Amino acid sequence: MSARTAVLISGRGSNLRALITASAAPQFPAEIVLIISNVDCAGGLALAAESAIESKIIPHKPYATREDFDAAIDAALIDAEIEIVCLAGFMRILSDWFARKWEGRLINIHPSLLPAYKGVHVHERVIAAGEKKSGCSVHFVVPELDAGPVIAQAEVPVMPGDTPEILAARVLEQEHKLYPAALKILAEGKVRLENGRAVFAS
Ligand code: GRF
């Protein structure tokens, strides 16, 4: 049985593409069955059409509060009988209510070696700090931004002369491998969130 998985996006969707590609393999334990975007111009929506996956645009602007917007997302997830939710470049901060409701089944990819460099403009800050390495992390989403327990990480070197764009591209290549791998172990039940910690099955 494949875990019914939704991917939430706001942009280009390269991680969405990696997840769709991985989940198309017969033995993959999760299936991407729903794509939700909060913007109608997200590049990732073209992928939904290409791969015949159901997609929904739920713009955040008409909703008076974060909770109201999140309730609309939640309703779409429930309607599609979603079991796992992957955030992939989804540029809205989710309410505490939503994060708690989906706790353990809601994951995100972030382009740094968390807990270092939470938030935005990661690559600029990594380079400015003179770091020798960076990377990406897939983590469980908890109410505090980018603070959930890490499921998997991949490292890359930071090279002399790197610009944020060059470093971003090096990290992104790893993201596309890491996210499917992390979704796989979650869908297989090999990692779970317990008492605020990621617990791995031996
Ligand atoms: C990725 O770098 C991801 O780590 C971050 O947002 C970016 C999304 O890129 N959360 P894409 O839309 O998946 O191409």
Side-chain angles (χ1 to χ4, degrees):
M1 269 281 286
S2 252
R4 291 178 64 79
T5 301
V7 184
L8 272 52
I9 60 165
S10 303
R12 134 191 94 175
S14 70
N15 278 289
L16 168 64
R17 181 184 288 280
L19 292 170
I20 292 173
T21 304
S23 70
Q27 300 308 319
F28 199 81
E31 187 188 357
I32 313 300
V33 294
L34 178 65
I35 296 163
I36 299 178
S37 173
N38 65 312
V39 287
D40 57 11
C41 55
L45 287 171
L47 282 174
E50 234 175 70
S51 44
I53 296 172
E54 185 191 351
S55 65
K56 280 200 159 77
I57 300 165
I58 306 182
H60 55 276
K61 288 217 174 100
Y63 295 94
T65 67
R66 203 181 285 287
E67 284 75 14
D68 289 348
F69 170 64
D70 290 359
I73 303 262
D74 182 59
L77 298 172
I78 299 295
D79 196 42
E81 299 180 355
I82 295 301
E83 296 163 279
I84 294 177
V85 182
C86 297
L87 307 181
F90 184 65
M91 298 306 285
R92 301 298 303 168
I93 294 174
L94 293 162
S95 57
D96 291 8
W97 166 79
F98 185 93
R100 288 212 177 86
K101 178 166 182 200
W102 286 91
E103 198 172 78
R105 299 174 294 156
L106 174 61
I107 60 177
N108 180 43
I109 187 152
H110 183 76
S112 79
L113 295 173
L114 290 173
Y117 300 99
K118 296 171 182 167
V120 294
H121 306 304
V122 170
H123 308 300
E124 284 88 336
R125 290 188 284 137
V126 164
I127 292 169
E131 301 286 358
K132 296 279 177 288
K133 63 177 188 181
S134 190
C136 49
S137 309
V138 177
H139 64 94
F140 285 111
V141 173
V142 298
E144 197 190 330
L145 188 68
D146 298 331
V150 168
I151 297 171
Q153 287 185 319
E155 275 185 24
V156 302
V158 181
M159 311 283 223
D162 269 356
T163 62
E165 293 72 27
I166 292 171
L167 179 57
R170 193 177 302 125
V171 171
L172 195 63
E173 206 180 313
Q174 295 306 312
E175 291 185 36
H176 296 161
K177 295 180 197 157
L178 190 72
Y179 213 172
L183 173 58
K184 181 170 187 284
I185 63 168
L186 178 65
E188 285 171 342
K190 290 188 175 156
V191 63
R192 63 185 195 282
L193 184 61
E194 208 175 275
N195 301 323
R197 295 179 52 204
V199 177
F200 296 85
S202 46

